[in-house]
Amino acid sequence: MKTWICLLLAATAAGPHLGAEGTGTGAALRFEEVGAQAGLRHIHSTRRFAGKHADVLRMFTSGGAAAAVGDFDNDGLEDVFVTNSDNGMPNKLFRNLGGFRFSDVTAKAGVAGGNDPNSIVADALWFDYDNDGWQDLLVVRFGTPLLYHNDQDGTFRDVSSASGLDRFANTIAVIAFDYDRDGLLDLLLGHYFKDVNLLDLKQRQVLPDNLDNAHNGGGVGLWRNLGGGRFEEATQKAGLAEHSGWTLDAGHGDFDNDGHPDIYLACDYGTDRVFFNKGDGTFRDATTEALGGFDTKKGMNAEVADYNNDGFLDVYVTNITDEYMKECNMLWFNNGDGTFTDLSKETGTCDTLWGWGAKFADFDNDGWQDLYAVNGLRSAGEKNYIPVLFEMIITPDIDFSDVANWPDIGQMTWSGYQKSKLFRNLSGEIFRESSAQAGVDNDLDGRGVALADFDRDGRIDIYQTNADQPALLYRNTTTECGNWLALRLVGDPRSAWKGMRSSRDAVGARLSLSVQGQTLVREVQGGNGYSGQSSKIVHFGLGAAQKVDSLQIRWPSGRVEAVEVPLNSFSTILEGKGLVRKMPAETSDGRD
Amino acid sequence: MPHLNRLAIPLLAVALCAALSAADAEAEYQAALQALQSKNYSSALDHFEAALKVAPDSLKYGSEYRMAVIQAESYDRAIGFLEELAEKHPRAAHLHLNLGFAHVDKIPAAGSITQVLLANAALDHFTRSLEVSPTWIGLYTRGNSYLFWPKIFNRTPLGIADLEKALQMQRKQSPRPHHARVYVALGDGHYKLDDLKKAKEIWAKGSELFPNSRALQKRVGSNGDELEELIGQGYNPNLRVDTDLKELWSNQ
C-alpha cells in the first residue's frame, strides 16, 4: 500500500518544482528495519588470531564486514553477497525473491569459502569481467583474491588461479573500473597493511609507523584486464606504485569531465590521494594541488557523487570525530578546475563520529542526493580503551609500528555505541541530520553501506553491515516522495568508438539528466564506498517534475546518445540501441 | 681596603656584563621586531633567538618569538630551539612556560594524534615551570590547559585545583584585567564537570569584579545550547589558542 501512496503522490504532485527541498513537501524520510523477516540477517565475525598479539591484530583487522549488491541471476532483482572474516566462517549469497524476501543460496552457488588459516575475507565486488552478461564475483582478502566465474545456472566456478590475480596483499577494498577504456573492467585493490601475512607473523613492526602520516601501508594494486579471464598487475606502469599509505577505500569518477575515470584513495593515518587519469594508461598524482596537500586524518570512505547538481563529481570521506579526536569528515566540493574544497563543516556533514561507509542517494526522490553514514569501532564493556591507549601513545620514543607496544583491548569499548547518521540534502547547500526521525539511528558497529531498490518500488533501500554484529536491512518507507527514473545501462564492448570501448557493465558511463532547469549527473559505479557495493542501476529522483527535458548518456567508449525513458519505471538502455526494455515499478510491497 | 678593591672590581665587571647583556638582548629584540615588520621571518627569528640566548627567562622575548614563529609556521624550529635552551637553563621558569606554549602553538597545524602528543608535552613543560617557580601565569596556564582534555581523561579537577591557586594568588595582588581569565576558566572547569550552578556563580563573581570582560559577560548571559557552543568553541583543539602574553606587560 505504501508503494501506491508514493506513486500516487509522485504522479499528482502539484506543479514541477525541483527546487529547495525537492517536492516541497518537506516530508520526513522513513525506513523500516526488515532484515530478519526478509531472511537477510547475516552476522559477521571478525578474525580471531592466535598468539600473544592476537587481541591487537583482531582489533586492527575488524574492518572486513562487507556487502556487494548485484543481480547475479539476471532476474531483475538485486541480490546480496555478504562477507564473513573469521576462520572457516562462510560468506553468504542471498537471492532476492521479490517482496523483500531473500533466500540463502550460498551452498548451491559455491561462494562460501575464503576464510582459511592464511586468509581473511575483507571485501567483495560484482562485475562482469568477461562481458558475457552475467555478474561474476571477486572476493578480496588479507591473502590472495578469489575470482568466481558466474556459470549462468546459479553456480560459480573459482577461476582465481587462471586469472593471474595471484599476488598476496592485505586487501580491504576493491573497485572495478575501465581505466584504459578498452571495454574490459580493470580492478583497483586497496591494501591496508603492507604485504606481510598477519596470520603467520614473522616481524612485529607491521602497524602504522606514524598515526597521522604513515607511509608503511599496503598502497594499492591496479590490475589490468587483458581479456580471456586474465589480469596483469599495472600498478607501477600506471604510476600508482609510489603510494604507500594505509588504503581503506578507493573511489572512481571522472572528476575533471574529460571522459577518463580518475581515482580518490581514502587512507587511514593520513595521506589521502587523488590521481587524475592522463588518458594514456597512466595517472598523475594531483594530491598537492587538488586537495591542498596531504591530510593527517583517518580516511575510511571514498564516495563519489554530485551532491549539489553542478555537473561535477564531489567526494565524501569519513574520518574520526569523537570526544577525544576532532578530525571532521571531508566533503570535497569539486571546484571544476582540478581542485577541491572541503565543505563538510559548511554543509553540516562534518561529524559522523568514528566514520566508516557512507553513501549518497536520493532517498525521497526530491532531486537532491541525501547521505547515509555508518560509524562506531567497537561496542563492548563499560571500560573505555582510550585512556589505556593514551598511555601507550605518550610513551617517549614509542614505536607505533610494533604490535607488541599496543595494549590489549579485551572487553573495552573504543568509540562504540555510535548512532548512524542520515543527512537529508536541502537543495545542495546544507544537509539536515534526520536519522532518528527516519528510524535508522542504530548504534551498531557499522562498516559497509550497500544501496539498492530491492523491491523495485522506486525508493532506494539500505543494507548495512556491522562488525561482529548482525547486518541491517532498511526498507525505504518514505511516503511522500517524488518521481523517479531507474536505468540499467548495458555497454557494447564489441563496438569501438574512436578506438575506445565500453564494458558491458558500462561502469563509468555518465548520465546527464536535464529537468526543470537543472542538470543531474550520475555515473555508473563499480563499487565506490567502504565495504559496500551498491546497485549499478542508476537512480534519479525528479521531485514533482512530470517530464524530463533531456537525458544524455556518455558511454565509457565516448559515444554520446540521447535517450527518452518513461518516468517511474525501470529502463534498460543498450549502447547504440537506446531503450530496449522498460518495466514499471513493483506496485505491491509483498505484504498487502 | 685593598681587599675591598679586589672584590669590587670583579663585582663591577659582572654588573657591567649583565647590563651590557641586557642591552644586547634588547638590541636583538628590537632588530627582530624590525625584521618582522618587513616580514623577513628568517631574520626575525634569528634575532629573537639571539635575544633569548642572552635572556632565556624573558617571558616577553619568548612570547614575541612564538608569535613570529606562528606567522612563519616554523613550529618545529621554535620547539627545538627552546628545548635546547631549556636544557642549558633548567631553572628558567618562564623559558619552560614558553616552551610549553610553543607546543600549544603547533597544535592546530598538527594531526589529531600529534595534537595529543603536543598537548601532553606542553603540560609537562608547564609543570616544570611551576616546579621552578609557582607563578600566577604558570598556574593559570596549566590549569587552563587541563580543561582542553576530554572528560574521559579526568583532568578537569586538576585544572580547577590550579586555577583555585591562581585565584588565591591574584586576590593578594591589585586587580589586573587579565585576572578575569581565571574566573572564565574556573567557571568553564565547573561547567565541564556538569556543575552549571557553580560555574554561573564564578562567572557572575568575575563579572562583578571585571565588568569589561566580554568572555565573562557572554558566559553569564548564555544558556543551553548557546552556552555549550560557546564553551565547546573555546576548547576546540583545531582552533588556535591565543598564547600571546602581551597582556601581562601591557595592562599594568
Side-chain angles (χ1 to χ4, degrees):
Chain A
M1 181 58 80
K2 284 172 182 169
T3 308
W4 279 111
I5 293 170
C6 184
L7 290 171
L8 190 64
L9 281 164
T12 59
H17 42 83
L18 183 70
E21 300 198 41
T23 60
T25 60
L29 295 169
R30 294 294 307 169
F31 291 84
E32 181 186 355
E33 206 289 305
V34 297
Q37 59 260 46
L40 208 49
R41 184 69 93 220
H42 173 69
I43 301 175
H44 172 263
S45 301
T46 55
R47 174 58 58 100
R48 284 167 293 179
F49 287 76
K52 65 180 180 180
H53 308 305
D55 202 48
V56 174
L57 289 171
R58 185 180 187 189
M59 182 173 72
F60 266 90
T61 56
S62 68
V69 167
D71 180 8
F72 80 89
D73 53 359
N74 283 341
D75 66 352
L77 295 167
E78 297 286 19
D79 311 297
V80 182
F81 180 80
V82 57
T83 63
N84 221 321
S85 300
D86 203 4
N87 189 21
M89 295 297 281
N91 306 307
K92 293 281 185 181
L93 176 58
F94 295 98
R95 180 170 176 252
N96 189 343
L97 306 175
F100 265 99
R101 290 173 299 118
F102 290 80
S103 169
D104 183 348
V105 295
T106 315
K108 182 187 173 192
V111 291
N115 287 305
D116 57 44
N118 278 310
S119 313
I120 307 169
V121 171
D123 199 8
L125 179 83
W126 293 106
F127 75 125
D128 182 3
Y129 75 84
D130 55 357
N131 289 325
D132 67 353
W134 293 80
Q135 293 294 301
D136 308 298
L137 180 65
L138 184 77
V139 176
V140 298
R141 308 186 287 178
F142 286 27
T144 54
L146 295 173
L147 180 61
Y148 292 105
H149 180 260
N150 187 334
D151 281 345
Q152 308 176 14
D153 60 357
T155 69
F156 291 79
R157 188 164 29 97
D158 185 344
V159 293
S160 312
S161 59
S163 71
L165 295 164
D166 56 0
R167 187 161 85 77
F168 178 96
N170 290 303
T171 310
I172 190 91
V174 60
I175 56 171
F177 73 136
D178 186 6
Y179 78 95
D180 52 2
R181 297 169 61 197
D182 65 352
L184 296 164
L185 284 177
D186 312 298
L187 294 167
L188 182 64
L189 276 58
H191 308 313
Y192 193 53
F193 292 82
K194 60 186 176 183
D195 55 356
V196 293
N197 188 347
L198 301 171
L199 294 155
D200 184 21
L201 209 56
K202 303 282 195 233
Q203 60 176 110
R204 294 189 341 218
Q205 281 73 23
V206 294
L207 299 182
D209 54 3
N210 183 307
L211 301 183
D212 289 328
N213 188 25
H215 287 280
N216 64 337
V220 292
L222 179 67
W223 291 82
R224 183 166 176 261
N225 189 338
L226 304 174
R230 296 280 306 167
F231 292 79
E232 76 172 4
E233 181 153 21
T235 317
Q236 183 82 39
K237 193 175 171 185
L240 301 175
E242 293 301 308
H243 170 57
S244 58
W246 287 67
T247 313
L248 272 175
D249 198 22
H252 71 87
D254 182 4
F255 300 138
D256 53 2
N257 293 354
D258 67 351
H260 301 289
D262 310 301
I263 304 166
Y264 188 98
L265 302 178
C267 301
D268 214 346
Y269 315 111
T271 71
D272 281 13
R273 285 184 186 241
V274 62
F275 289 92
F276 283 105
N277 190 327
K278 292 162 70 176
D280 60 358
T282 68
F283 291 84
R284 175 175 62 87
D285 185 345
T287 310
T288 304
E289 63 265 33
L291 307 180
F294 293 97
D295 74 292
T296 59
K297 299 181 181 182
K298 317 295 173 278
M300 315 280 187
N301 178 77
E303 165 70 337
V304 178
D306 178 13
Y307 78 91
N308 61 338
N309 294 343
D310 68 352
F312 290 94
L313 294 176
D314 313 294
V315 182
Y316 188 67
V317 181
T318 54
N319 298 302
I320 301 174
T321 304
D322 205 336
E323 184 196 1
Y324 57 89
M325 199 183 281
K326 306 287 182 192
E327 289 191 331
C328 201
N329 296 331
M330 296 178 295
L331 177 50
W332 289 115
F333 168 81
N334 189 334
N335 296 313
D337 60 358
T339 68
F340 295 81
T341 302
D342 177 15
L343 293 183
S344 64
K345 281 181 188 155
E346 291 80 355
T347 53
T349 56
C350 152
D351 184 359
T352 57
L353 301 164
W354 185 302
W356 291 100
K359 287 280 176 76
F360 284 105
D362 186 354
F363 293 116
D364 53 0
N365 292 335
D366 68 350
W368 299 98
Q369 296 194 80
D370 312 298
L371 178 64
Y372 183 63
V374 299
N375 51 24
L377 178 62
R378 191 172 194 269
S379 302
E382 277 187 27
K383 195 171 175 194
N384 195 314
Y385 184 60
I386 286 298
V388 179
L389 181 64
F390 174 72
E391 291 303 320
M392 184 277 285
I393 286 174
I394 62 167
T395 304
D397 302 320
I398 190 91
D399 179 2
F400 295 130
S401 74
D402 187 343
V403 67
N405 286 335
W406 286 71
D408 284 357
I409 193 167
Q411 286 307 304
M412 287 181 270
T413 287
W414 184 1
S415 284
Y417 304 103
Q418 300 186 339
K419 291 191 171 180
S420 300
K421 306 280 187 186
L422 177 61
F423 297 98
R424 186 160 186 237
N425 187 337
L426 306 182
S427 63
E429 291 187 352
I430 196 159
F431 290 75
R432 181 193 296 150
E433 209 288 302
S434 313
S435 58
Q437 188 184 23
V440 294
D441 59 335
N442 71 84
D443 64 358
L444 299 183
D445 295 334
R447 292 295 182 268
V449 176
L451 305 176
D453 183 357
F454 289 112
D455 56 350
R456 296 173 63 90
D457 67 350
R459 294 171 293 188
I460 299 292
D461 310 297
I462 300 170
Y463 189 66
Q464 172 184 336
T465 58
N466 303 296
D468 281 323
Q469 291 170 330
L472 301 172
L473 176 60
Y474 285 112
R475 178 184 194 181
N476 189 337
T477 58
T478 305
T479 52
E480 295 181 41
C481 47
N483 290 311
W484 54 275
L485 289 177
L487 299 148
R488 177 171 170 251
L489 267 55
V490 181
D492 182 2
R494 292 163 303 178
S495 168
W497 178 261
K498 295 179 182 172
M500 301 291 180
R501 296 172 191 269
S502 305
S503 67
R504 196 172 164 89
D505 277 351
V507 171
R510 173 169 291 211
L511 299 93
S512 302
L513 182 147
S514 294
V515 59
Q516 304 300 330
Q518 287 203 54
T519 301
L520 281 54
V521 167
R522 305 278 190 275
E523 279 190 4
V524 178
Q525 291 192 353
N528 290 347
Y530 181 80
S531 279
Q533 180 186 18
S534 298
S535 168
K536 287 197 264 296
I537 292 175
V538 177
H539 180 97
F540 286 99
L542 303 173
Q546 300 291 325
K547 70 178 186 67
V548 166
D549 298 325
S550 70
L551 174 58
Q552 192 181 73
I553 299 170
R554 186 191 73 198
W555 295 90
S557 64
R559 181 185 282 115
V560 176
E561 294 178 325
V563 293
E564 287 186 19
V565 292
L567 267 58
N568 302 323
S569 63
F570 286 79
S571 300
T572 300
I573 314 287
L574 253 58
E575 182 176 9
K577 295 191 174 143
L579 175 68
V580 294
R581 190 171 61 161
K582 61 180 178 183
M583 289 176 69
E586 296 292 322
T587 52
S588 167
D589 62 8
R591 297 183 306 169
D592 296 342
Chain B
M1 193 63 175
H3 291 289
L4 274 178
N5 278 342
R6 277 210 299 272
L7 194 62
I9 289 166
L11 280 175
L12 194 64
V14 168
L16 194 61
C17 282
L20 281 174
S21 297
D24 288 348
E26 185 61 21
E28 292 288 357
Y29 172 68
Q30 291 301 333
L33 294 182
Q34 274 194 349
L36 208 52
Q37 273 189 339
S38 55
K39 294 195 186 317
N40 185 347
Y41 296 121
S42 174
S43 172
L45 296 187
D46 286 345
H47 285 299
F48 275 126
E49 287 169 1
L52 280 163
K53 279 179 184 167
V54 179
D57 208 23
S58 167
L59 202 57
K60 180 178 169 180
Y61 294 167
S63 175
E64 297 289 307
Y65 171 56
R66 288 186 299 96
M67 294 306 107
V69 162
I70 292 169
Q71 290 181 58
E73 298 182 0
S74 300
Y75 307 106
D76 290 334
R77 170 174 171 166
I79 290 170
F81 170 74
L82 293 172
E83 267 175 351
E84 205 173 304
L85 206 59
E87 276 177 28
K88 290 178 187 162
H89 303 278
R91 302 293 301 167
H94 289 159
L95 173 57
H96 288 297
L97 205 58
N98 268 314
L99 176 53
F101 279 129
H103 287 80
V104 172
D105 292 337
K106 191 185 171 186
I107 287 175
S112 52
I113 301 295
T114 309
Q115 286 181 337
V116 174
L117 298 174
L118 288 166
N120 200 61
L123 272 178
D124 286 345
H125 293 297
F126 296 147
T127 298
R128 287 293 304 279
S129 174
L130 285 169
E131 285 168 355
V132 175
S133 176
T135 59
W136 176 90
I137 182 64
L139 286 164
Y140 166 71
T141 300
R142 192 177 69 173
N144 196 44
S145 297
Y146 280 132
L147 304 189
F148 280 81
W149 289 80
K151 199 182 263 187
I152 194 174
F153 295 105
N154 202 28
R155 288 182 158 178
T156 304
L158 299 173
I160 288 174
D162 276 352
L163 292 163
E164 292 281 7
K165 285 181 195 161
L167 189 63
Q168 286 170 19
M169 210 174 266
Q170 74 187 34
R171 277 178 180 149
K172 294 172 186 163
Q173 302 170 0
S174 53
R176 293 179 185 171
H178 56 259
H179 288 164
R181 288 172 176 268
V182 171
Y183 286 96
V184 172
L186 196 52
D188 290 358
H190 287 287
Y191 179 87
K192 282 172 175 282
L193 292 180
D194 300 322
D195 192 346
L196 180 62
K197 185 166 174 269
K198 181 106 183 187
K200 284 278 188 184
E201 281 172 11
I202 291 165
W203 292 326
K205 176 72 179 169
S207 207
E208 278 175 31
L209 295 169
F210 302 97
N212 294 327
S213 167
R214 288 188 63 199
L216 284 167
Q217 285 170 16
K218 276 188 189 172
R219 280 160 172 76
V220 169
S222 301
N223 289 294
D225 289 346
E226 191 188 355
L227 183 58
E228 179 71 23
E229 171 83 12
L230 183 65
I231 305 288
Q233 284 300 300
Y235 297 94
N236 183 340
N238 296 318
L239 300 178
R240 180 165 296 288
V241 177
D242 182 7
T243 62
D244 189 347
L245 302 177
K246 205 178 270 120
E247 199 180 358
L248 290 175
W249 51 87
S250 61
N251 279 320
Q252 299 298 321

